[in-house]
Amino acid sequence: MSKLTDRIALVTGAASGIGKATAIRFAEAGATLVLADRNAEALAAALAELDDPRHLSCLLDVTDEAGWAELAATIETAFGRLDVLVNNAGYGAFRSIAETTLEEWRAILAVNLDSVFLGTRAMLPLLAKSRVGGSIINMSSIRGIAGAPFAGSYCAAKGGVRLFTKAAALECAALGNGVRVNSIHPGHVLTPLTSRVHDDPEQAAKLLADTPMGRAGDPDEIAAAMLFLAGDGSRYMTGSELVVDGGSTAQ
Ligand code: NAI
């Protein structure tokens, strides 16, 4: 089992779904968590669930450049370094290209892709101070590898996350700052974000037909892969894409 003892880990979108499951896994592995989310109420509940005074929570809209600078200053003051950054917050919009407004396109790119750039830029100086080698995990999707109809903005954003990750990994290696950067690509995972789809029998059947293992993933199954990427078990991995999708993209 991977250990994150004495490591400081920042997870965005930590108030729900995969981000929350990841925070819980990391805390169980010994990490001190900084939970970030824009939903104040859910964030407070997630922090309360961890039930340990060493963890912090910070309200953050991941599309807000100034918010990232403030959060970096808070982490610098509290810990002087960061060991793990999980750029997880995001969501999709499922509409035809014809019906997608430029405003919506930009909003989807902002929350899924700008956020990863802003978070990486803001936190790199702190990750470079990690004594064990910093690890950045960027949330992509199987939709960052293979396209899907009625998901143009989401596919563009998650595909952007996939290649930004590789560019950042190579840049960190060239700089010799000890920071590894990898992306993670879940398939269909049952979370509050997707419950509406999974609750609709017709849509759920379609998704499951598309998943060779015949079921949706559990957030904790993504969190387990997050833990692997965060810890020393993956210390020779950078610029990699870890697919956790019940076989969907193997077809
Ligand atoms: P979720 O909706 O359960 O959790 C997302 C969290 O992000 C929420 O707490 C929300 O408040 C927060 N958030 C949203 N916008 C934010 C913003 N601008 N600033 C700060 N926080 C914000 O969703 P879920 O399913 O856990 O998704 C997490 C990530 O995983 C997303 O990036 C999603 O695209 C990705 N993903 C999800 C899959 C799934 O099937 N659930 C599959 C593949 C990728």
Side-chain angles (χ1 to χ4, degrees), residues 213-239:
M213 286 183 74
R215 65 172 178 86
D218 183 87
D220 189 55
E221 291 171 320
I222 311 306
M226 292 277 199
L227 181 59
F228 167 66
L229 288 177
D232 295 341
S234 61
R235 65 181 176 272
Y236 195 52
M237 284 174 70
T238 196

Side-chain angles (χ1 to χ4, degrees), residues 173-198:
L175 292 170
N177 62 15
V179 179
R180 301 181 296 110
V181 192
N182 295 291
S183 56
I184 188 160
H185 302 259
H188 305 297
V189 183
L190 196 47
T191 68
L193 181 73
T194 56
S195 60
R196 208 163 28 89
V197 175
H198 289 276

Side-chain angles (χ1 to χ4, degrees), residues 142-143 188 205-212 245-249 251:
I142 55 171
R143 295 294 155 240
H188 305 297
K206 234 161 115 188
L207 288 188
L208 297 190
D210 185 40
T211 309
D245 70 347
S248 293
T249 51
Q251 302 174 94

